[in-house]
Amino acid sequence: MPGFWTLTTLEPDMHDENLLQLINDDLAPATQLLGLLQDESIALKGRDMPVLEKILARKQSLIILLEQHGRRRSEILASLGLPTNRSGLESIASHSSVGEQLLAQSDVLNQLLAQCQAANLVNGQSIQTQQAITANQLRILHGGEAPSLYDARGSTSMLNKPRAYSQA
């Protein structure tokens, strides 16, 4: 395997320790991001726009930082001729004095990022639901589609014509 030879001819401890440091450096921002996503969920339910704006700004800076570190980790693995995924990390770990710690911290980071992704998905669904509710309320307020009304016989009532909110 070409990556193995490259790995053994270079100083593996330098690369594995750099990877470990990058992973450890991402644990705090990933934890902060998860907390922000949880705060965002609460702010979305309360429609607290000033809080949401602050959360968005902080989220963006954390995401940029996490992406930068992720790119650096991938570049290190690629420079060694290894795949830029878990198997590449395992290759380095198998020849490293900090290999177990490297894989363990990587697992912790991956779990945190998976929790962030799940929380972000829930928040996205919440936003979509609120958008649909708001659109429906605006349609009603502007005299758009009126709900279907039925008479005592179960047929559609003739009163089913759009009315302005002031006439409802």
Side-chain angles (χ1 to χ4, degrees):
M1 178 171 152
F4 174 76
W5 295 110
T6 306
L7 180 63
T8 56
T9 58
L10 295 174
E11 298 173 35
D13 286 337
M14 179 183 80
H15 295 293
D16 58 3
E17 289 178 12
N18 285 344
L19 286 168
L20 182 59
Q21 186 62 50
L22 287 170
I23 290 170
N24 285 334
D25 288 349
D26 278 349
L27 292 175
T31 302
Q32 291 172 13
L33 181 59
L34 182 58
L36 283 173
L37 289 165
Q38 292 165 344
D39 292 345
E40 181 181 49
S41 177
I42 294 166
L44 283 168
K45 289 176 184 155
R47 297 184 183 204
D48 191 344
M49 294 310 292
V51 170
L52 286 169
E53 288 174 7
K54 290 177 185 173
I55 289 172
L56 178 62
R58 184 69 183 128
K59 269 180 25 180
Q60 287 175 331
S61 66
L62 289 172
I63 290 169
I64 290 168
L65 178 66
L66 291 167
E67 286 175 344
Q68 288 172 344
H69 287 181
R71 272 194 299 277
R72 281 195 226 145
R73 288 191 300 271
S74 293
E75 288 169 1
I76 290 171
L77 291 171
S79 73
L80 296 171
L82 297 171
T84 58
N85 56 21
R86 175 75 179 189
S87 67
L89 195 62
E90 289 172 349
S91 293
I92 285 187
S94 69
H95 299 91
S96 170
S97 60
V98 294
E100 286 182 32
Q101 188 180 7
L102 184 63
L103 293 176
Q105 293 300 86
S106 175
D107 290 341
V108 170
L109 179 60
N110 285 334
Q111 289 170 357
L112 274 171
L113 294 176
Q115 290 174 333
C116 288
Q117 190 173 24
N120 194 51
L121 182 62
V122 169
N123 289 350
Q125 290 170 342
S126 177
I127 289 169
Q128 288 177 342
T129 300
Q130 289 181 15
Q131 286 174 334
I133 290 169
T134 301
N136 189 44
Q137 289 170 341
L138 287 172
R139 204 172 24 257
I140 291 169
L141 287 173
H142 291 295
E145 301 172 27
S148 297
L149 301 175
Y150 296 94
D151 60 19
R153 293 173 297 198
S155 57
T156 304
S157 170
M158 299 304 288
L159 298 174
N160 188 13
K161 57 183 177 183
R163 296 181 289 173
Y165 178 69
S166 61
Q167 297 172 347

